[in-house]
């Protein structure tokens, strides 16, 4: 039964009730008239009374129907109310589920933040521990450099020379005022930390550290950001040291694209990446591919820094090494001579880069068989080192190469030649902070040996060995002293703690 039918029944019922009410009034009037009449007709009275009872019954039933309808309406209203409440509860349930999901996401983000903060804390603690490194580490670094000088042998292999092209560290251009971009201090610190790990051969620590820093930078700054390019450079250098040249090349090319896009094609940082990429290609023997990159880096540095800047001289050295491996000796001589001129003008004749460039130029002469020119350059390096260490040269104060040649001349006169040690401590001039001098001693000694001057060669090689031995002894002594100091500090701390505990107990 529909709602419309129910309303029609109730409406009809009310109409019937009205009709019955009217009939009941008429019957009441009729009964009163019959009772007041002179003729009392009992049959009529009985009929009227029965009709009254039926009318009353009909009215009662009609009232029941109306009341039942009212009750049904109340029930329907309650049902609608309950439906509304159920709908509201469902909506609240959906809202609560959404709130719960959002809260869970915030919880996960908070847990990730906590984990990241813990990692950063560990990282900062380790960086703080880096400050404990002292001169011992510096001495070891210098020794390492002395073992890998570009011309440590008389006729070095191409690979040996190329291995010593100078990569550009990520923080080299941080101080250029016209660069427009300064590498953040945290990346410079991270670079130093990674270098420490890599120098110790701990690549399993250095590589994940670089990758985590790179991932964090890409999340915060996006992929196309100069800081990301710097981090790519650092990671590429680590891969290069592991001989993973393909991975390193991919990273450097990516860094180059980012820096060209964000900093411009003529920015010093672009030159740094070009130089590192050229060094990498050189290590792989791709000298023709490396040369244009190196030349472009040189052009950028000349335009930005000026043609007489020391960084330009360093780039010239790298370019000369690439050309030397391609037997382009005229260009090699031109680049080395120009680099030498810049170093002497800007840094002075006593700067280590001057001696290193002279050595490189001498290596070029050796490749061409110009032994006399190479010998003159080696003697110039040793003479300058002698004057720095012992003062002006005179009859009593002779450079080591002159001593060596005198011993060569006198070897036939006196088979028992005067021990080298009696000529003074010249070998101390080739100490640990002058690796190029030690290399020059070896190179000139090898050249003497090639010329048949074995006594002179033995003198120089003996000097080089002495300097190396003294440097190693110095490093060992420094380590022993450092270990003793640590043990003493540790012992004092224990004694102080014991005294403190005794006083507390008393």
């Amino acid at each position: 039964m529909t709602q419309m039918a129910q309303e029609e029944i109730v409406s009809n019922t009310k109409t019937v009730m009205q009709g019955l009410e009217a009939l009941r009034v008429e019957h009441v009037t009729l009964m009163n008239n019959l009772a007041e009449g002179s003729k009392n007709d009992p049959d009529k009275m009985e009929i009227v009374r029965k009709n009254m009872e039926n009318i009353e019954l009909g009215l009662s039933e009609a009232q029941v129907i109306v009341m039942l309808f009212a009750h049904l309406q109340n029930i329907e209203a309650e049902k609608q109310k309950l439906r509304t409440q159920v709908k509201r509860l469902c909506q609240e349930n959906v809202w609560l589920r959404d709130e719960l999901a959002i809260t869970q996401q915030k919880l996960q983000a908070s847990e990730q933040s906590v984990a990241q903060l813990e990692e950063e804390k560990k990282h900062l603690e380790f960086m703080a521990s880096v400050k404990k490194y002292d001169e011992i580490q510096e001495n070891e670094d210098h020794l390492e450099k002395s073992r890998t000088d570009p011309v440590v042998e008389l006729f070095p292999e191409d690979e040996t020379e190329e291995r010593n092209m100078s990569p550009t560290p990520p923080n080299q251009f941080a101080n250029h005022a016209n660069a427009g971009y300064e590498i953040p201090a945290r990346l410079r610190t991270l670079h130093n930390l990674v270098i420490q790990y890599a120098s110790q051969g701990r690549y399993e620590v250095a590589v994940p550290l670089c990758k985590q820093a790179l991932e964090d930078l890409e999340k915060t700054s996006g992929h196309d950001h100069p800081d990301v390019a710097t981090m790519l450079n650092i990671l590429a250098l680590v891969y290069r040291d592991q001989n993973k040249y393909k991975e390193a090349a991919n990273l450097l090319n990516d860094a180059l694209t980012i820096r060209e896009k964000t900093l411009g094609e003529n920015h010093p940082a672009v030159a740094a990446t070009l130089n590192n990429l050229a060094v990498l290609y050189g290590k792989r023997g791709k000298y023709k591919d490396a040369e244009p990159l190196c030349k472009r880096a040189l052009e950028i540095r000349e335009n930005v820094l000026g043609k007489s800047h020391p960084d330009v001289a360093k780039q010239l050295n790298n370019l000369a090494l690439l050309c030397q491996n391609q037997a382009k000796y005229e260009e090699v001589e031109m680049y080395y001579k120009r680099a030498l001129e810049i170093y002497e003008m800007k840094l002075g004749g006593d700067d280590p880069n001057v001696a290193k460039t002279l050595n490189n130029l001498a290596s070029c002469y050796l490749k061409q068989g110009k032994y006399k020119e190479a010998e003159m350059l080696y003697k110039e390096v040793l003479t300058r080192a002698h004057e720095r260490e012992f003062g002006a040269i005179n009859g009593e104060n002779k450079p080591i190469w002159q001593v060596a040649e005198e011993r060569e001349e006198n070897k036939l006169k006196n088979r028992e030649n005067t021990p080298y040690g009696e000529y003074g401590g010249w070998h101390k001039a080739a100490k640990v902070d002058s690796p190029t001098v030690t290399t020059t001693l070896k190179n000139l000694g090898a050249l003497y040996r090639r010329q048949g001057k074995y006594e002179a060669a033995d003198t120089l090689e003996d000097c080089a060995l002495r300097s190396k031995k003294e440097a190693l002894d110095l490093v060992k002594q420094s380590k022993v002293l450092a270990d003793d100091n640590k043990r003493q500090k540790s012992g004092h701390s224990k004694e102080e703690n014991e005294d403190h505990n005794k006083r507390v107990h008393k």
Side-chain angles (χ1 to χ4, degrees):
M1 185 179 293
T2 63
Q3 184 70 19
M4 198 62 170
Q6 291 179 0
E7 291 178 355
E8 289 178 355
I9 291 171
V10 171
S11 177
N12 293 334
T13 302
K14 289 181 178 180
T15 303
V16 170
M17 285 180 66
Q18 292 175 356
L20 290 174
E21 188 66 31
L23 286 174
R24 187 174 68 84
V25 172
E26 289 179 359
H27 279 69
V28 169
T29 304
L30 182 59
M31 287 181 69
N32 291 332
N33 291 333
L34 288 174
E36 293 175 357
S38 58
K39 295 180 181 180
N40 191 0
D41 190 349
D43 293 334
K44 291 182 179 181
M45 287 292 291
E46 184 64 24
I47 291 171
V48 172
R49 185 179 62 78
K50 287 182 178 181
N51 289 338
M52 282 288 293
E53 289 178 356
N54 291 329
I55 290 171
E56 292 291 341
L57 181 59
L59 285 172
S60 299
E61 290 178 353
Q63 289 175 353
V64 169
I65 291 173
V66 172
M67 292 175 63
L68 180 60
F69 177 74
H71 181 65
L72 290 174
Q73 281 186 326
N74 291 334
I75 291 175
E76 188 65 28
E78 288 293 329
K79 284 174 64 178
Q80 292 295 333
K81 183 177 179 182
L82 290 174
R83 286 174 182 168
T84 303
Q85 290 179 350
V86 170
K87 185 177 180 180
R88 180 175 57 81
L89 289 174
C90 291
Q91 291 175 346
E92 290 180 355
N93 186 35
V94 172
W95 176 78
L96 289 173
R97 286 178 181 274
D98 294 340
E99 287 293 319
L100 179 60
I102 294 172
T103 305
Q104 288 177 340
Q105 291 177 355
K106 290 181 178 179
L107 177 61
Q108 291 177 354
S110 299
E111 290 176 348
Q112 292 176 355
S113 299
V114 170
Q116 184 177 356
L117 289 173
E118 289 178 353
E119 290 298 324
E120 290 178 357
K121 179 184 176 184
K122 293 178 182 178
H123 176 59
L124 291 174
E125 288 175 350
F126 192 89
M127 285 193 294
S129 68
V130 174
K131 296 180 181 178
K132 297 179 181 179
Y133 288 99
D134 52 11
E135 296 178 357
I136 299 174
Q137 186 64 36
E138 294 178 2
N139 291 336
E140 291 178 347
D141 292 340
H142 285 301
L143 281 178
E144 184 66 24
K145 290 179 182 178
S146 68
R147 289 193 294 270
T148 59
D149 197 271
V151 284
V152 68
E153 301 293 339
L154 180 61
F155 296 99
E157 296 293 334
D158 291 349
E159 183 182 357
T160 305
E161 288 190 4
E162 196 57 46
R163 189 183 300 120
N164 292 278
M165 289 179 63
S166 300
T168 304
N171 56 356
Q172 179 172 333
F173 298 102
N175 297 323
H176 295 326
N178 59 347
Y181 165 68
E182 182 175 353
I183 296 175
R186 68 180 187 279
L187 290 187
R188 293 198 294 270
T189 304
L190 179 62
H191 172 255
N192 295 333
L193 183 63
V194 169
I195 292 301
Q196 291 290 343
Y197 280 133
S199 64
Q200 299 168 9
R202 300 177 62 185
Y203 299 109
E204 73 281 359
V205 179
V207 173
L209 185 62
C210 288
K211 288 184 176 180
Q212 182 61 49
L214 181 61
E215 183 180 350
D216 294 342
L217 284 172
E218 288 180 333
K219 286 182 180 178
T220 56
S221 305
H223 182 70
D224 293 336
H225 192 276
D227 291 351
V228 174
T230 300
M231 198 64 242
L232 288 170
N233 265 283
I234 296 174
L235 182 56
L237 294 179
V238 176
Y239 278 147
R240 188 203 64 191
D241 290 343
Q242 294 179 275
N243 296 328
K244 296 181 178 180
Y245 299 130
K246 184 177 181 180
E247 294 86 341
N250 292 335
L251 293 176
L252 287 175
N253 279 306
D254 192 8
L256 180 62
T257 302
I258 294 173
R259 283 181 166 174
E260 287 179 335
K261 183 187 299 184
T262 57
L263 303 177
E265 294 185 353
N266 295 318
H267 193 276
V270 174
T273 307
L274 287 167
N275 179 67
N276 289 340
L277 195 56
V279 172
L280 185 64
Y281 284 156
K283 283 181 171 291
R284 301 174 67 182
K286 297 182 178 181
Y287 306 118
K288 291 184 179 179
D289 295 333
E291 186 179 349
L293 298 176
C294 202
K295 286 184 176 179
R296 185 184 165 198
L298 175 63
E299 182 181 356
I300 293 174
R301 287 178 171 175
E302 286 178 336
N303 292 334
V304 176
L305 306 176
K307 294 188 176 182
S308 299
H309 195 278
D311 287 344
V312 172
K314 181 181 292 186
Q315 194 69 56
L316 286 167
N317 262 298
N318 287 351
L319 183 55
L321 282 171
L322 288 172
C323 291
Q324 184 165 320
N325 281 284
Q326 300 175 71
K328 299 179 180 179
Y329 296 117
E330 291 185 4
E331 295 182 37
V332 174
E333 290 185 27
M334 178 184 66
Y335 293 139
Y336 278 142
K337 288 178 180 178
R338 186 182 163 199
L340 186 62
E341 181 182 352
I342 294 173
Y343 280 137
E344 289 181 332
M345 178 176 60
K346 293 295 183 179
L347 305 179
D350 293 336
D351 188 80
N353 287 297
V354 173
K356 184 182 294 186
T357 306
L358 286 171
N359 257 309
N360 291 344
L361 181 56
S363 173
C364 173
Y365 286 146
L366 288 175
K367 288 278 189 178
Q368 302 175 75
K370 298 179 179 179
Y371 303 125
K372 186 176 180 180
E373 290 86 344
E375 183 178 345
M376 290 176 60
L377 291 180
Y378 287 139
K379 289 180 178 179
E380 183 179 350
V381 173
L382 296 178
T383 300
R384 291 186 181 188
H386 182 93
E387 290 176 342
R388 281 198 308 271
E389 191 73 19
F390 301 106
I393 295 174
N394 52 46
E396 300 295 329
N397 187 21
K398 301 176 183 178
I400 186 62
W401 63 265
Q402 190 172 345
V403 173
E405 290 187 350
E406 287 180 357
R407 286 169 62 83
E408 180 67 31
E409 293 175 0
N410 296 329
K411 70 178 179 180
L412 298 177
K413 298 178 181 179
N414 185 5
R415 289 291 181 183
E416 296 180 0
N417 219 339
T418 306
Y420 169 68
E422 295 184 9
Y423 285 92
W426 197 94
H427 60 278
K428 293 180 181 178
K431 51 192 175 182
V432 68
D433 59 349
S434 301
T436 307
V437 174
T438 304
T439 303
T440 305
L441 288 170
K442 293 181 180 179
N443 291 343
L444 184 55
L447 183 57
Y448 278 152
R449 195 171 297 281
R450 183 181 183 86
Q451 295 171 346
K453 300 178 180 179
Y454 300 111
E455 188 67 27
D458 290 341
T459 302
L460 296 184
E461 290 169 358
D462 180 62
C463 180
L465 289 173
R466 286 176 183 234
S467 66
K468 184 176 181 180
K469 183 177 181 301
E470 282 199 357
L472 291 173
D473 291 341
L474 181 62
V475 171
K476 290 179 181 179
Q477 291 175 5
S478 300
K479 286 185 176 180
V480 171
L481 290 175
D483 293 339
D484 290 341
N485 290 334
K486 288 181 180 179
R487 283 194 293 269
Q488 289 177 1
K489 290 180 180 179
S490 177
H492 288 317
S493 299
K494 290 181 179 179
E495 291 176 1
E496 290 175 358
N497 291 336
E498 291 177 357
D499 293 340
H500 177 70
N501 292 334
K502 289 179 181 179
R503 288 194 297 270
V504 170
H505 287 305
K506 289 179 180 180

